Amino acid sequence: MSNNKRKSISYAKWGYIFIAPFFIVFIFCSLIPLVSTFYNSFFENYRDGLTQVGPNFVGLENYKKLFTPDNSGNIQVIDYTVNTMIMWVMGAIPQLVVALLLAIFFTANRLNIKGQAFFKTVIYMPNLIMASAFSMLFFTLFSNVGPINQIISSMTGEVYDFFGKTVSVRSLVAFVNFLMWFGNTTILLMAGIMGIDQSLFEAASIDGATSTQVLFKITLPLLMPIIVYVAITALIGGLQMFDVPQILTAGHGNPNRTSMTLVMYLNNYISTSKNFGMGGAISAIMFVITGALSFVVYKSLVTDDSPKKKVKKSKGAELL
Amino acid sequence: MSNATDMQGQNERIKLTAARTGVYIFMVLVAILCLFPFYLLIINASRSNAELQAGFTMIPSSNFLTNLKTAWNDTSLIAIPKGLLNSFVIAASCCLLCTYFSALTAYGIHVYDFKGKKIAFNFIMVVMMIPTQVSAVGFIQLVSKVGLMNTYWPLIIPSIASPAVFFYMKQNIESTMPLEIIEAARVDGANEFFTFNAIALPMLKPALAVQMIFAFVQSWNNFFTPALIISKKDKSTVPIMLALLRSEMNSRNGDLGEIYMFILLSIVPVVLVYIALSKFIIKGVTMGGVKG
């Protein structure tokens, strides 16, 4: 193709034609809305009952308002970010631990675990279930008249109000998220472990390394880039947490807004009060956080090969 | 001497069996954790409201069909058949548009040499991580300005630009499509569009199938954007209906058997697709998730 320059030049227009739909749609459905969201954040623009206020240019007023303590002295946007992070961590830690354990068990040749295909099918399924339906199911199961409380009250004589207590609501949100995502993480980590050079394991076993040594000196260090990748993408997903707490608490973030997430807050501004100025400001903040995290992911992907190989070599040399 | 090694070997075997047993027990527990909620869902969907109020049991009852009939015909709060249809129309359209145009874009960037090709690719990689929520304010304003609120267009059209699916297709094309085949088609005088549709697309069938499933499921489960666009009852998708059901449950106690049936109906389509194609899907997760 390179020695036929005229031909490749004449085909260039097809490249533009083929990628045009993607870019046109992206510009109209994502880029322009994104820019206009930021633009909105500098305007006062909301519905007060039936009257429309604004849009009036107010500069950074919306951002200031966002970080001003309310009557009870709380800065809501910070509280909701903290809520989101607490619920994310409560789900993400068991998710990573269980996924890592399963991935290690499944890839251990010595153990030779059977029935993996079936098991993977089972643990991945929750990932495809509608989060809204999942949350609705958990609401009905854990509600005051639900089966879980029927068991509890038959044993203790009392009903445990799962949706009236901060700990239990947050735990339920975290548990649903854990259940939905640990299968996915397991499969990714398994792919990561199987991507490790097999000769390293062979060399280690010839040298008489125990399985614990192999785990801590070969598998985990070489898996680190993928664990980091999985953790950060999960964090980006966690920041967008919405469906589960929204449905579980019917959008209220009960009790006392302790399970209100950042996106639920954004959703309230857009759909309930039509406050596009404040909504824009929250979006801009989320964009910056996500951007910073994505940059870390991008870096880890781009420079993936070199440190990985370095680690591989040094560890291999050490063992040999 | 040989006795000692025998003993050691036996010890080793016992240890291995113990480890294996431990792992199997752990697997069974994890599997139960995953399946139990759905088991309870099916059981409860088969019980009448009175039975559900009376107490907990793990044995199915005989009211499955009655609950199904009630849930299917009851339109007082939500009309589940309409919701399933609406969700299906949107999800099916998204899944076709998303996979076709992602493949087209990936093919365009892989096969042709043109100015700005690298920039186009890097641009898509950079925007891949932007969550849809952060542009929601502007998107809603745009949609209402052009008068498309309460229509399905704003839920379907954006799927043409799906950076993650594009990336998957690009990787797949790189590893499966030799440029010689496209050259050969050109020599035979095929038009470029024809080459893509008749020669390239069939070669991508496995990748297309995997991504079609994911695109369908993602659209089917989507809640945030549809809830902002759709406010008319007869246009609602399943997740919007579930949200409505949930907020009503705060104020009144409906027929619990019917509610379990609603939940069951909303996940059944995806579960059936999953059971039929799970091998495919799990392979797809592995291929798409970790780069190179």
Side-chain angles (χ1 to χ4, degrees), chain B residues 37-270:
Chain B
F38 301 106
Y39 177 73
L40 277 186
L41 174 60
I42 295 170
I43 299 301
N44 285 350
S46 77
R47 304 174 72 209
S48 72
N49 192 37
E51 285 170 325
L52 284 163
Q53 306 269 3
F56 172 76
T57 168
M58 300 217 330
I59 307 149
S61 178
S62 57
N63 271 58
F64 193 84
L65 287 177
T66 325
N67 283 341
L68 182 61
K69 233 186 245 165
T70 330
W72 196 261
N73 293 326
D74 181 7
T75 53
S76 62
L77 183 60
I78 62 173
I80 199 77
K82 190 82 177 80
L84 291 170
L85 181 70
N86 294 343
S87 279
F88 182 80
V89 168
I90 297 169
S93 317
C94 280
C95 112
L96 293 176
L97 286 181
C98 164
T99 45
Y100 182 81
F101 283 100
S102 299
L104 186 73
T105 315
Y107 179 88
I109 285 187
H110 181 66
V111 169
Y112 301 104
D113 272 317
F114 56 92
K115 242 193 213 159
K117 161 175 159 154
K118 253 232 139 104
I119 298 172
F121 178 74
N122 286 333
F123 178 81
I124 300 178
M125 295 307 291
V126 168
V127 301
M128 188 147 67
M129 289 288 190
I130 301 177
T132 44
Q133 290 100 329
V134 300
S135 54
V137 168
F139 187 62
I140 298 301
Q141 282 183 323
L142 184 75
V143 169
S144 63
K145 217 177 273 168
V146 293
L148 289 177
M149 283 304 237
N150 274 307
T151 66
Y152 295 155
W153 298 112
L155 303 177
I156 295 171
I157 300 294
S159 66
I160 289 174
S162 310
V165 185
F166 157 83
F167 179 60
Y168 183 92
M169 290 296 173
K170 177 84 172 32
Q171 280 196 309
N172 207 277
I173 289 178
E174 263 166 23
S175 60
T176 60
M177 200 176 297
L179 288 172
E180 291 80 38
I181 291 183
I182 294 145
E183 287 284 290
R186 275 182 199 155
V187 173
D188 291 346
N191 160 294
E192 295 297 307
F193 256 116
F194 180 82
T195 311
F196 172 73
N197 287 325
I199 295 164
L201 268 191
M203 290 173 71
L204 290 174
K205 251 186 207 157
L208 286 171
V210 168
Q211 289 305 316
M212 277 172 91
I213 299 165
F214 282 122
F216 184 91
V217 170
Q218 204 189 358
S219 168
W220 180 268
N221 294 348
N222 194 9
F223 175 48
F224 183 80
T225 315
L228 293 174
I229 303 268
I230 308 288
S231 55
K232 286 204 176 116
K233 240 181 172 180
D234 64 321
K235 298 236 160 134
S236 292
T237 59
V238 176
I240 300 174
M241 291 185 170
L242 288 175
L244 188 65
L245 200 63
R246 169 65 187 89
S247 51
E248 282 297 305
M249 278 178 79
N250 270 354
S251 49
R252 68 169 193 199
N253 283 325
D255 179 346
L256 282 172
E258 187 188 355
I259 285 165
Y260 283 112
M261 187 54 81
F262 280 137
I263 302 172
L264 186 61
L265 283 171
S266 64
I267 66 171
V268 151
V270 167

Side-chain angles (χ1 to χ4, degrees), chain A residues 208-279:
Chain A
T210 64
S211 29
T212 330
Q213 279 174 325
V214 171
L215 177 64
F216 286 103
K217 299 241 153 121
I218 302 179
T219 314
L220 284 183
L222 290 180
L223 199 58
M224 228 18 173
I226 290 171
I227 296 177
V228 170
Y229 167 82
V230 167
I232 299 176
T233 38
L235 178 58
I236 294 172
L239 271 175
Q240 301 162 39
M241 194 188 292
F242 174 71
D243 297 22
V244 178
Q246 175 81 10
I247 300 277
L248 270 181
T249 67
H252 300 303
N254 289 341
N256 206 11
R257 301 189 155 224
T258 50
S259 58
M260 182 78 112
T261 66
L262 205 51
V263 176
M264 285 168 75
Y265 188 41
L266 171 66
N267 181 65
N268 280 352
Y269 272 129
I270 303 177
S271 67
T272 319
S273 56
K274 305 252 179 260
N275 193 333
F276 292 131
M278 292 296 277

Side-chain angles (χ1 to χ4, degrees), chain A residues 1 8 11-12 14-19 21-23 25-26 28-30 33-34 36-37 40 45 98 101-102 105-106 110-114 119-126 128-130 132-134 136-141 145 147 150-151 175 178-179 182 184 187-188 191 226 229 233 236 240 242-243 246-250 252 263 266-267 270-271 276 279-280 283 286-287 290 294 297-298 301, chain B residues 12 16 19-20 23-24 26-27 30-31 33-35 37-38 40-41 44 52-53 55-56 101 104-105 107-109 111-115 120 122-124 127 129-131 133-142 157-158 160-163 166 183 186 192-193 196 214 217 220-221 223-224 228 238-239 242-243 245-247 249-250 259-260 263 266-267 270-271 274 278 281-282 285-286 289-291:
Chain A
M1 219 162 79
S8 69
Y11 282 122
W14 287 100
Y16 294 118
I17 294 173
F18 277 26
I19 69 167
F22 185 104
F23 279 89
V25 168
F26 185 82
F28 279 99
C29 296
S30 298
L34 186 66
S36 102
T37 302
N40 262 287
N45 177 5
V98 171
L101 282 176
L102 288 170
F105 293 154
F106 283 173
R110 266 158 40 91
L111 284 174
N112 188 21
I113 299 296
K114 299 271 189 301
F119 185 75
K120 271 195 254 175
T121 309
V122 170
I123 61 171
Y124 188 69
M125 186 179 68
L128 294 182
I129 301 294
M130 186 187 291
S132 328
F134 221 132
M136 188 67 186
L137 175 62
F138 270 70
F139 172 74
T140 43
L141 293 180
V145 293
Q150 285 170 343
I151 300 173
F175 183 64
F178 159 77
L179 217 49
F182 84 95
N184 187 63
I187 293 171
L188 293 184
I226 290 171
Y229 167 82
T233 38
I236 294 172
Q240 301 162 39
F242 174 71
D243 297 22
Q246 175 81 10
I247 300 277
L248 270 181
T249 67
H252 300 303
V263 176
L266 171 66
N267 181 65
I270 303 177
S271 67
F276 292 131
S283 306
M286 275 188 69
F287 179 81
T290 322
S294 305
V297 174
Y298 190 72
L301 281 179
Chain B
E12 196 62 18
L16 204 58
R20 215 174 269 151
V23 171
Y24 281 127
F26 183 61
M27 279 166 68
V30 170
L33 200 64
C34 287
L35 293 176
F38 301 106
L40 277 186
L41 174 60
N44 285 350
L52 284 163
Q53 306 269 3
F56 172 76
F101 283 100
L104 186 73
T105 315
Y107 179 88
I109 285 187
V111 169
Y112 301 104
D113 272 317
F114 56 92
K115 242 193 213 159
N122 286 333
F123 178 81
I124 300 178
V127 301
M129 289 288 190
I130 301 177
Q133 290 100 329
V134 300
S135 54
V137 168
F139 187 62
I140 298 301
Q141 282 183 323
L142 184 75
I157 300 294
I160 289 174
S162 310
F166 157 83
E183 287 284 290
R186 275 182 199 155
E192 295 297 307
F193 256 116
F196 172 73
F214 282 122
V217 170
W220 180 268
N221 294 348
F223 175 48
F224 183 80
L228 293 174
V238 176
L242 288 175
L245 200 63
R246 169 65 187 89
S247 51
M249 278 178 79
N250 270 354
I259 285 165
Y260 283 112
I263 302 172
S266 64
I267 66 171
V270 167
V271 171
Y274 181 64
S278 62
I281 294 173
I282 285 171
V285 182
T286 320
V290 177
K291 226 183 111 187

